[in-house]
Amino acid sequence: MTATLLLSSTTAPAQARRYLSLWLPHWSTDRWRLSRKASAREAVTHAPEMPVVAISTDAGRRLICAANESAMRQGFTPGLSLADALARRPDLQHFPANPLDDGHALQRLAAWALRFTPLVMSDNPNGLLLDITGCAHLWQGEAGLRQDMHDRLRRHGYACRIGIADTIGAAWAAARFAEMAPIMPIAGQRKALAALPVDALRIDLATAEALRRLGLRRIGDLYPLPRASIASRFGRLLLGRLDQALGDVSEAFAAAFAPPPHRVSQIFAEPIGTAEDLHRSLEMLAERLAMQLTEGGLGARRVKFSCYRLDHQVSEIGIGLSLPSDKASHLIDLLARKIEQLDPGPGVETTMLSAGKVEALRQSQTVLEAGSSGDHSIGDDTALAGLIDRLGNRLGAGKVYRLVPVASHLPERAVARTAPIRRGGAPAWPHIVTAASGSWRPLRLLDHPEAIEDVMAPVPDDPPLQFRWRHVLHRVRAAAGPERITWEWWRSIDEHTTPARNSPSAHASRDYYRVENETGQRFWLYRAGLYRPEQPVRWFLHGLFA
Amino acid sequence: MRYAELQVTSNFTFLEGASHAEELAVQAAALGHAAIAITDRNSLAGIVRAHVACKDKGIRLIVGCRLDFMNGDSLLCFPQDRAAYGRLCELLTVGRRRAPKGECHLHYADLVSHAEGQTVIGLPPLEMTAESRAFLQLLPQDFPGRAYLALTHFYRGDDAERLHDLNMLAADIGLPIVATNDVLYHTPERRPLQDILTCIRHGCTIDEAGLRLLANAERHLKAPAEMERLFRQYSDAIANIATIIDRCTFDLATLKYEYPDEVTEPGETPQQTLARLAWKGAEWRYPNGVTDTIRKQIQHELDLIEERNYAPYFLTVASIVKFAQEKEILHQGRGSAANSAVCYCLGVTAIDPINTGLLFERFISTARNEPPDIDVDFEHERREEVIQHIYEKYGRDRAGLAATVIRYRSRAAIRDTGKALGLSADTISAISKSIWGWSSKGVTETEIRQAGLDPLDRRIAVTVHLARELIGFPRHLSQHVGGFVISRGPLSQLVPIENAAMEDRTVVQWDKDDLEALGMMKVDVLGLGMLSCMRRAFEMLKQHYGQELTLASVPQNDVEVYEMLSQADTIGVFQVESRAQMSMLPRLQPRKFYDLVIEVAIVRPGPIQGDMVHPYLRRRSGLEPVDYHKDELKPVLEKTLGVPLFQEQAMRIAMVAAKFTASEADDLRRSMATFKSNGKVEAFEARFIDGMVKNGYSRDFAQRCFNQIKGFGNYGFPESHAASFALLVYISAWIKFHYPDIFAAALLNSQPMGFYAPAQIVGDAAKHGIEIRPVDINHSHWDNTLEPQGNRHAVRLGFRQAKGLSEEIAKAIVDRRDIGYPHMAAFQRRASLSNQHLVKLAEADAFRSIGLDRRQALWSVMALEKEPLPLFGNLEPVAPDEDVSLPLMPVSQHVIEDYRALALSLKQHPVAFLRAELIRRGIKSTEDINHETAGRKLVVSGLVLVRQRPGSSKGTVFMTLEDEHGIVNLILWPHVFEKYRGIVMGAKMVGCRGKLQREGKKPREVVHVVAEELYDFSPLLDHLQEKVGGKPGNFSGILSHSDYMAHPGDDHREARQRIPLRSRDFH
């Protein structure tokens, strides 16, 4: 909340101002519905709205945190658990709430609202405040302005309520509580507020509840009370809110916008087109951008170089970085490799370099004492990051990865791929995949176990005596095992197929053997399933020891 | 070759073992094992189950346990004889007593001092270390010739090497080897459940559990041939098992339990002491002279007691009761002890069995070799004194509470399994919320669908499946409510003793079934809320009416009291205040004490399931002739007009008519009550019915008798128990009739208790002409009190009725009241309460005597603490505050606030404010329906007071509604209930369209409405509140249902089983 409260009862307002409060009661759900329509290219229909709710997760419980009008009408109000709601209406649409996104969108809406007045601030989580002093005549008065704003938002598909008054507090109250008379006349807020419930004072629920229990249900009920008795019971906050709404004390209006995006551009008098020119421009922009980032203590994770052409087309190249960087040389190095992908067309009149994603940069100390041991790890890390970025940008994303252990008995699940550099270092490899425990794992695990034939092994579970792999017959000279590993039963239940209760896949286990052939080659074999008389036995080779 | 699995973890190693002892015993027997050892971790808690199960399945149990020491070393320990067993128990007691509840802190040194007679098997860790080697090296010298080393095939891939190394080590340090399979479950199919238990233990989901789970499903009982194959290179390991089987022959059945002596006069035997006390007691009980009949009966009992050598037990109970008498703690024996004239003379019971015709043989019989069971109820508030007295008198080494095994029930099983499988909390709560009551059957697909979930979601399906397996698994040991085991010698040589969660309590590791199975006696020291209520009533009677009464001296056979009972005017009366009892009373028309005994027993699942209620009522009212089917049943059923109503009658029928032996009949009873019946019941059923049919009884009667036995399994009352309760029924009814003021006050002061909330108790008292006065700072005490009013008294509500006030606060207010508080400032200064408590008092509307209503009081207390006036500390400012006039609070709002703060209102009934609206809708009040004829269709409405779905009702739900005139009972057939499930479960106020039913004649008729349609009227209640901005407050949230609640002092086991439905099932 950017609006800061000024509780000092200092000066009376110098000149009458007019404020507009916009309330978007179904902001989250409206946004969700509109995004779905956009993606489905649905026409805006006027069919009755289906109930939709946004869900937040609180300690494992999924609760409704926002609802559209239709859902509210049916009693699916914030606070209700999703399970309860679904029990009542199994087809209730729901989606995970994203307050961060909603906030960003509100910022964008604030920018849009600049069309009405230059003084706009967002009123989180689902409203805007506009200082419209002196602006309304452009719409033939406040009613016209209000109507225009209302219509535009409705056309976009947003439910909204708008109130206008002399004070921020009164406008806020008017938008939310005064459906009948949303525009309070100049200097008329005292009368207009009197009939509204105390909740309209922007106070917490507990205070409102306490007031109600004293029979003080409307704002007007507070007027005749001695100020001291209110203050002694409810503290100064309530009085402050009341005074703000009535205009007896002023309230700060902080028109605040997001910091400017990290982007630098260069406009050319004459269109450019050669790779050399573009490269020069890139170098210059990169220096400027890097400086901007360094000042903000930020590093870029994604950078885009855009060329605006004479024919209103844009040609772009982009890179991603594994660690945030504010090094111009690094950016130039990575982007220059792709510069030939740019198509200047008839000529480029503007170039722009923008950091699409930035992160706080880790404070890096350059080496204090060259040659002292142990403190060059950061430098190494950065150097490694540079290498990884070059490899990644050349081979393609996802081709450079790091292996991390996963706690699973199943060999093929015991390892996972992850980002090449992770903060906090890699987790330790557990015992099982090191040779220290009884269970051995081969150095090389095949991606897919390969079937082997001509296996001779005493039943039920002695090691094999011979086997044929890739047409070569191996005679086993030494063997150890079996190590019995049973399938992770809970994973199979997630699969859509329904394994029959006693089918081998349902409870399948493998018996693994380490075997060595006559030439000293060592293999990791397994028999699928437990031995059962009169059932074909299938054998596989799963890995190779050194 | 003889094989026995020597390392078996049952589910009494909580959250690790995944099979019941019964399952393990069955499987071991089926596989042809010669014996089985159940070796739970540092515990013998499951050993009696194992003992019983093994005996049942015909396989020998090797008693022992696994000892895990603090440093991580482990071994299996098997006592060879009784003395060694005693040492093992003592050892475990030492470890348990020095650790917090549930843990056991043992060191190898502890074992060494208890080593004599123990055979041990060292358990090597997976990775041998120098320390573990050193530990194993100690065994041969500390247990010469009695120590072994366990070899286990784990299928880890390195078994050959590991077994080889261990064999070498064993030879090296001189330990013979022995094969085990370290069993965790009886068959490999239990592996998923074992994984779930691992997850629950670690508090993780199955997807996170990773290497904490076992890699395979090999830890099950294996066939001897398979074990032989696995250890074919180490045949010694198999052969040595036989040696251990032969050496460790200790059998739990040989445990001999001895009672404390309790001889008070030197030179007397316990029997002589008992006889002396009994005859002395007889003179006190029969002041008009001990007649021949009485003398003969007492002598007969004494003879039988002597024959069975039970005198010490009787003396133990007598001494406990004597303590209670001295301390003036109200008490009464219950259960079968009421059959005994000796118990009556000793003051243990309050019923004269000779007068009521109860048979001593039902208490102790020569046929059944089973110890007598004496349960004594004490005032629940003073029971702790009795318990501490027992500890003090016998010492902790000789007295311990029996354990209660807390097992997984549906709800917890679903919760823990669902969590382990990674279901979200709301999905889990959605599944378990739809379960009615404590069902042990698990959740059905229909129930899942009703909860708004997809039964085809495989994780949900698997959760339900595994939860079903988990149900019944022991979760932890808790203390029994009051079952004491007292022994002559140290108890810790009989059974391990551990700490209870409550301070100053110790618990033996066995529960009451275990103790019974081994023939050990226990004394149940129970608490009963009604006794506390009675004591309060007797005290008030003495104080306000100068009349001194005891349980035994309340005048009997009061015609007016029986008339009141017959009219079902029984709100607050012990046992007969439930809806079912209330509708039975007018039909049964109790006229004498024995009628009450029947009344108590008849409204129980047993007689209802056996369809015995209506035949009895018909015969009683002469509509049907009394028929004993065959003469042989006449002595059994004479008192109940040929219809079996009591538990022991059903058992007698099994013996007389179906020709069961006494012990078979008892087996039958027990198989009904035990948790896993394993198909036993069905086998008995066939025998029972065939036996009766062969004997010339109709199949229908036989079937009904058996159904009744089934119902009795858990929920039946024996006659003597019903008689003990009937006495309290009569006494509480007597007080209610003669002193309704005292009754109401005593009842309110004993809350929470019984069926009804304070609002109903107060309402009922008012209906009986008692003035109820509001809570007030100038008049109230903590308890509800009596204030003189004419020749009766008015009840002044106490501060205990107000939410958020403590006894301490009340005491401060009363102590500093002096001649009264003239105004708020004086109250604030003298009572000096915190602002928070002042607000609570204001919310309770307790300032009326100084001229402030709730709203004004609230206004004036809100200002007080924030601006204290230290300068004026010694003065009493007269004008408290600026003159502020607040809007007047409407009465309906006051009523709501009353409910919020006091859970009742003396001003009006909430429904009264809605009457105009209800009339407009054509809805009848409970008053109106008195003038309606039976069979009429009408709509009634009221607050939902009680909802019940008794286990015996086959899905029928009963609801009680209340409006400003009274109550009306609804009957919802199952299909109606299903249709309106949401309203039944959620609504605070309902409307009901249905058909009026009447039975009997005024004023003793039974009226109810058979529901056809139900409406949720809760929103109407919200309109009682002051409104603003179109948002009514939420009043319906304040009202709480008083669903079928247990008497908290009531026997815990019965209470739980009897509650078919708890309020929390609704929310």
Side-chain angles (χ1 to χ4, degrees), chain B residues 786-965:
Chain B
L786 297 187
E787 292 178 358
Q789 184 208 33
N791 55 354
R792 284 212 174 266
H793 292 81
V795 175
R796 169 68 69 179
L797 295 184
F799 292 116
R800 68 184 303 145
Q801 300 306 130
K803 278 174 201 155
L805 292 178
S806 64
E807 195 166 353
E808 250 171 282
I809 300 293
K811 194 170 170 332
I813 297 171
V814 174
D815 284 355
R816 297 164 198 167
R817 189 144 64 196
D818 200 7
I819 56 155
Y821 300 109
H823 43 64
M824 179 63 84
F827 178 68
Q828 155 75 353
R829 190 178 54 80
R830 297 218 309 253
S832 70
L833 303 181
S834 75
N835 190 266
Q836 170 207 343
H837 292 124
L838 290 171
V839 168
K840 294 287 176 206
L841 285 166
E843 283 171 347
D845 209 4
F847 291 99
R848 293 265 178 179
S849 62
I850 56 171
L852 296 176
D853 78 349
R854 164 178 286 124
R855 189 163 270 176
Q856 292 157 333
L858 201 57
W859 176 256
S860 99
V861 301
M862 278 179 83
L864 287 170
E865 199 188 283
K866 283 176 192 151
E867 286 171 16
L869 302 165
L871 280 179
F872 302 102
N874 295 325
L875 302 169
E876 287 201 352
V878 181
D881 205 352
E882 310 97 333
D883 194 16
V884 165
S885 73
L886 296 167
L888 217 57
M889 184 182 274
V891 185
S892 67
Q893 180 78 25
H894 265 301
V895 169
I896 288 165
E897 298 291 334
D898 282 345
Y899 268 87
R900 212 195 293 270
L902 303 160
L904 60 90
S905 178
L906 301 176
K907 301 182 176 93
Q908 243 315 355
H909 191 276
V911 174
F913 300 105
L914 301 170
R915 185 51 63 197
E917 169 67 16
L918 295 176
I919 289 173
R920 199 183 61 72
R921 298 189 185 194
I923 290 165
K924 307 282 181 197
S925 72
T926 53
E927 174 69 25
D928 298 336
I929 60 171
N930 285 331
H931 311 297
E932 299 288 344
T933 46
R936 272 237 18 212
K937 293 239 176 142
L938 41 75
V939 188
V940 292
S941 171
L943 301 182
V944 179
L945 275 198
V946 181
R947 293 164 302 191
Q948 281 177 275
R949 191 166 73 163
S952 55
S953 72
K954 301 185 181 92
T956 303
V957 170
F958 302 97
M959 285 175 94
T960 305
L961 306 185
E962 182 193 61
D963 68 8
E964 69 271 38
H965 300 294

Side-chain angles (χ1 to χ4, degrees), chain B residues 690-873:
Chain B
D690 291 348
M692 278 184 77
V693 171
K694 209 186 299 165
N695 239 321
Y697 293 90
S698 78
R699 187 164 284 276
D700 171 61
F701 179 68
Q703 182 67 54
R704 281 195 289 140
C705 286
F706 193 79
N707 288 350
Q708 196 191 350
I709 293 175
K710 269 203 244 178
F712 276 140
N714 282 322
Y715 314 107
F717 270 179
E719 185 183 13
S720 50
H721 185 69
S724 298
F725 273 15
L727 186 64
L728 290 181
V729 173
Y730 177 80
I731 293 171
S732 56
W734 187 89
I735 296 172
K736 181 181 165 81
F737 179 78
H738 291 283
Y739 301 96
D741 43 359
I742 288 179
F743 188 67
L747 210 50
L748 286 172
N749 290 341
S750 310
Q751 292 295 313
M753 181 183 78
F755 216 53
Y756 296 94
Q760 281 80 51
I761 296 168
V762 164
D764 185 62
K767 213 169 287 171
H768 287 81
I770 302 303
E771 185 187 328
I772 311 284
R773 295 174 178 169
V775 179
D776 195 285
I777 51 156
N778 273 319
H779 304 290
S780 288
H781 293 74
W782 167 247
D783 276 333
N784 298 278
T785 47
L786 297 187
E787 292 178 358
Q789 184 208 33
N791 55 354
R792 284 212 174 266
H793 292 81
V795 175
R796 169 68 69 179
L797 295 184
F799 292 116
R800 68 184 303 145
Q801 300 306 130
K803 278 174 201 155
L805 292 178
S806 64
E807 195 166 353
E808 250 171 282
I809 300 293
K811 194 170 170 332
I813 297 171
V814 174
D815 284 355
R816 297 164 198 167
R817 189 144 64 196
D818 200 7
I819 56 155
Y821 300 109
H823 43 64
M824 179 63 84
F827 178 68
Q828 155 75 353
R829 190 178 54 80
R830 297 218 309 253
S832 70
L833 303 181
S834 75
N835 190 266
Q836 170 207 343
H837 292 124
L838 290 171
V839 168
K840 294 287 176 206
L841 285 166
E843 283 171 347
D845 209 4
F847 291 99
R848 293 265 178 179
S849 62
I850 56 171
L852 296 176
D853 78 349
R854 164 178 286 124
R855 189 163 270 176
Q856 292 157 333
L858 201 57
W859 176 256
S860 99
V861 301
M862 278 179 83
L864 287 170
E865 199 188 283
K866 283 176 192 151
E867 286 171 16
L869 302 165
L871 280 179
F872 302 102

